[in-house]
Amino acid sequence: MPWELTVGIVALVVGLTALVVALVVLRRSRHAAAPSSGRATPADRPQRPQLAVVVNPSKESTQQAMETVRRVAGEAALPAPRFYETTVDDPGIGQARAAVRDGADIVVAAGGDGTVRAVAEGMLGSEVPMGIIPAGTGNLLARNLDLPLTDPKDALAVVLGGIDRSIDVGRVRVTERPPDEEPDDTDHLFLVIAGLGFDAAMVADADDQLKAKMGWVAYFLAGARHLHGRRMATRITVDDEEPVEARLRSIMVGNCGRLPGGINLLPDAALDDGVLDVAAIDTRGGLAGWAQLFGEVVAQGMGVQNDMRAKIGRIDHVKARRATIRVEDGEQAQVDGEVLGKAVQIQTWVEPGALVVRAPA
């Protein structure tokens, strides 16, 4: 074979090889630069993630959660977990921010709904995911994320092996209070439901000792004292619509709707739909009205709608990005079970996709 032909063949082989290598490199670089789907998989995460746990030391069950985290981290050869205890002055916001500054790959809220709310507030904008080990009375966000509620080890398995999900958060600002109440210019975050009226009065009157012994049942016992309370004159404005006036027992604004006891108050609400669900709740006729309302809530949770016009207990829904609610004389207000005191007017709005949470795969 002439040497010129041999050299040509070798050059061709080298050229083709270089072309193939270049194409592989280009393909890999494009794949690496491609935008993600917004959900991290286990392969995307550090193989030995640094866990940070914001823990409420006043909860007896959090001691078990801490021991579980230490044991599982040791068995999995993970870095030693870091623990940040909440205080009366700081229920978790500062601790969550400190954990992010310290390089945590995931920050876990171990406590009740108040701890989860505070940690979420501290995590906003960080892009670091928040995990949850439920240790409270209601565990509202955990229920709506389908997290294990009773076993810290099962909850930690989701923290380590679940997916990252971006969810909406709601905000409430009390813009007017009764004359005898202190003014408040704070924007309060909520992850599940904010409310004015019966629901907030029920939360405000729930006995702490009963909650510790009986859990969420204590709220229903407190609510029994308000079944015969007066209906409140309400003025509701959603988005750019004209205001609507009604006499109601309660007005609630939800990011999601599953409550303890298997109740789904807002069956159409979704944590990541970019809107809030406003529910207007009313009853007449004493206990008969409340009984019909309870039946209405149970039925809608099962996907059954009652279209009867003449109802003495009813719940009506509308979706909105923001809402302004005004009540005559002022009523108790609450966010995710935290009482805000009496309010004459509140403003609520949604922050879409503002929080990253670790959820079941």
Side-chain angles (χ1 to χ4, degrees):
M1 179 184 295
W3 69 269
E4 294 92 344
L5 181 59
T6 301
V7 172
I9 292 173
V10 171
L12 179 61
V13 170
V14 171
L16 288 174
T17 302
L19 179 61
V20 170
V21 171
L23 288 174
V24 169
V25 172
L26 178 61
R27 182 178 179 181
R28 288 181 177 177
S29 65
R30 285 180 175 177
H31 178 73
S36 67
S37 63
R39 290 190 172 186
T41 64
D44 299 324
R45 303 187 199 124
Q47 295 301 306
R48 301 178 69 246
Q50 175 64 64
L51 294 178
V53 184
V54 179
V55 59
N56 182 350
S58 68
K59 300 283 185 181
E60 293 182 5
S61 53
T62 56
Q63 186 62 39
Q64 180 185 358
M66 293 170 68
E67 293 172 357
T68 300
V69 172
R70 288 192 182 97
R71 184 179 71 255
V72 172
E75 293 171 351
L78 299 178
R82 299 168 182 158
F83 294 93
Y84 301 76
E85 291 192 354
T86 65
T87 65
V88 174
D89 294 331
D90 190 341
I93 299 174
Q95 292 85 342
R97 290 172 178 166
V100 172
R101 287 196 304 269
D102 292 343
D105 295 305
I106 181 167
V107 179
V108 181
D113 294 314
T115 302
V116 171
R117 283 184 57 250
V119 172
E121 181 78 61
M123 300 294 293
L124 293 181
S126 70
E127 298 186 0
V128 175
M130 180 184 79
I132 302 174
I133 297 180
T137 303
N139 300 315
L140 296 176
L141 182 60
R143 292 176 189 276
N144 284 272
L145 288 171
D146 293 318
L147 295 176
L149 301 178
T150 58
D151 191 333
K153 186 174 181 180
D154 290 344
L156 186 58
V158 175
V159 170
L160 295 174
I163 60 172
D164 291 342
R165 178 181 175 187
S166 295
I167 67 171
D168 308 331
V169 302
R171 292 280 189 183
V172 168
R173 179 183 300 153
V174 179
T175 54
E176 185 176 343
R177 289 191 181 273
D180 58 342
E181 292 276 330
E182 291 292 327
D184 177 13
D185 58 358
T186 305
D187 294 343
H188 301 275
L189 176 145
F190 67 94
L191 301 167
V192 183
I193 290 179
L196 271 172
F198 173 83
D199 66 296
M202 177 177 66
V203 171
D205 286 353
D207 184 87
D208 289 337
Q209 292 184 347
L210 281 180
K211 286 195 294 182
K213 294 178 180 179
M214 305 177 66
W216 56 266
V217 177
Y219 290 117
F220 288 89
L221 296 177
R225 295 195 290 270
H226 296 276
L227 292 179
H228 298 286
R230 65 184 179 88
R231 298 159 74 208
M232 56 186 187
T234 311
R235 182 181 175 91
I236 308 166
T237 306
V238 297
D239 294 331
D240 297 321
E241 302 293 328
E242 290 295 319
V244 175
E245 296 184 353
R247 299 195 72 85
L248 302 170
R249 297 288 183 180
S250 186
I251 181 76
M252 306 177 78
V253 183
N255 192 32
C256 50
R258 268 188 269 171
L259 304 178
I263 295 174
N264 193 350
L265 188 66
L266 306 170
D268 296 329
L271 280 163
D272 54 3
D273 59 0
V275 294
L276 299 171
D277 284 55
V278 182
I281 300 172
D282 189 29
T283 67
R284 292 172 288 110
L287 291 177
W290 285 106
Q292 182 174 331
L293 174 64
F294 183 75
E296 185 95 353
V297 171
V298 172
Q300 71 176 14
M302 299 171 61
V304 178
Q305 297 295 326
N306 182 352
D307 295 327
M308 293 175 54
R309 291 188 177 182
K311 293 188 287 187
I312 56 176
R314 63 182 301 136
I315 176 170
D316 298 307
H317 304 269
V318 64
K319 292 184 178 293
R321 292 186 178 275
R322 63 185 186 278
T324 300
I325 303 164
R326 187 175 184 84
V327 291
E328 192 176 86
D329 300 329
E331 297 286 344
Q332 288 283 2
Q334 64 86 21
V335 288
D336 289 354
E338 179 183 340
V339 179
L340 303 182
K342 287 190 173 182
V344 172
Q345 181 171 288
I346 64 172
Q347 292 178 345
T348 71
W349 64 95
V350 65
E351 296 179 358
L355 178 67
V356 181
V357 297
R358 187 63 54 85

